[in-house]
C-alpha cells in the first residue's frame, strides 16, 4: 500500500521550493496542490487559508552521511548539529520549513 500525506499551506510556492531545494521532485501538479516525492515518500501541499503545521515531516536516509549531507544544505534552519538519539537508536536533527513545520532528518541505527 502506498500513501501521501497532505498539508494545507498559506505559502504554497515558497514551501514547495523549500522541499525541492532539499531534493524532492514534483510527482504531480494539481490545480491548487503540488505532490512531491523523495524516494518512496510522497507528500503534498495544497493552497489553503490556513497552514497545517502539526506533525513532523521525516526524511529517512540509509546512513549518517546522508543525514550529514542534508544538514550541510539546511544548517541555517536546523535546531543543531546531527546527534545520536539513544532512546530510538537513530542519528538525527530537526529543522523548520518556511511555515514552521517540524522537519526531521534521520537514519536508523538499530540492528
Amino acid at each position: 500500500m502506498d500513501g501521501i500525506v497532505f498539508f494545507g499551506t498559506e505559502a504554497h510556492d515558497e514551501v514547495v521550493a523549500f522541499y525541492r531545494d532539499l531534493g524532492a521532485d514534483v510527482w504531480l501538479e494539481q490545480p491548487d496542490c503540488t505532490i512531491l516525492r523523495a524516494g518512496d515518500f510522497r507528500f503534498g501541499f495544497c493552497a489553503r487559508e490556513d497552514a497545517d503545521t502539526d506533525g513532523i515531516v521525516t526524511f529517512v536516509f540509509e546512513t549518517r552521511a546522508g543525514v550529514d549531507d542534508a544538514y550541510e544544505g539546511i544548517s541555517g534552519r536546523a535546531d543543531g548539529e546531527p546527534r545520536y538519539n539513544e532512546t530510538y537508536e537513530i542519528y538525527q536533527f530537526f529543522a523548520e520549513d518556511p511555515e514552521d513545520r517540524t522537519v526531521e532528518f534521520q537514519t536508523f541505527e538499530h540492528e
Side-chain angles (χ1 to χ4, degrees):
M1 176 183 306
D2 290 333
I4 303 170
V5 176
F6 285 96
F7 296 95
T9 176
E10 297 174 23
H12 177 272
D13 294 346
E14 183 180 4
V15 169
V16 168
F18 171 83
Y19 287 97
R20 292 200 63 202
D21 288 348
L22 290 176
D25 296 314
V26 173
W27 184 73
L28 181 64
E29 284 286 357
Q30 296 178 312
D32 62 353
C33 295
T34 300
I35 301 172
L36 300 165
R37 177 177 55 203
D40 291 334
F41 181 31
R42 285 181 285 180
F43 49 104
F45 294 96
C46 300
R48 300 291 183 262
E49 290 185 21
D50 296 310
D52 298 318
T53 58
D54 292 335
I56 299 174
V57 177
T58 300
F59 294 97
V60 179
F61 297 86
E62 292 292 321
T63 65
R64 282 186 177 212
V67 175
D68 290 339
D69 288 346
Y71 175 75
E72 291 302 318
I74 195 172
S75 61
R77 290 186 170 271
D79 70 341
E81 293 184 1
R83 61 224 169 246
Y84 181 71
N85 182 320
E86 191 172 312
T87 301
Y88 299 108
E89 298 182 63
I90 59 175
Y91 180 70
Q92 71 181 140
F93 75 93
F94 293 93
E96 292 183 346
D97 79 6
E99 289 184 308
D100 297 327
R101 271 179 214 88
T102 301
V103 185
E104 179 183 23
F105 303 81
Q106 72 173 45
T107 186
F108 290 95
E109 295 193 330
H110 59 278
E111 305 251 345

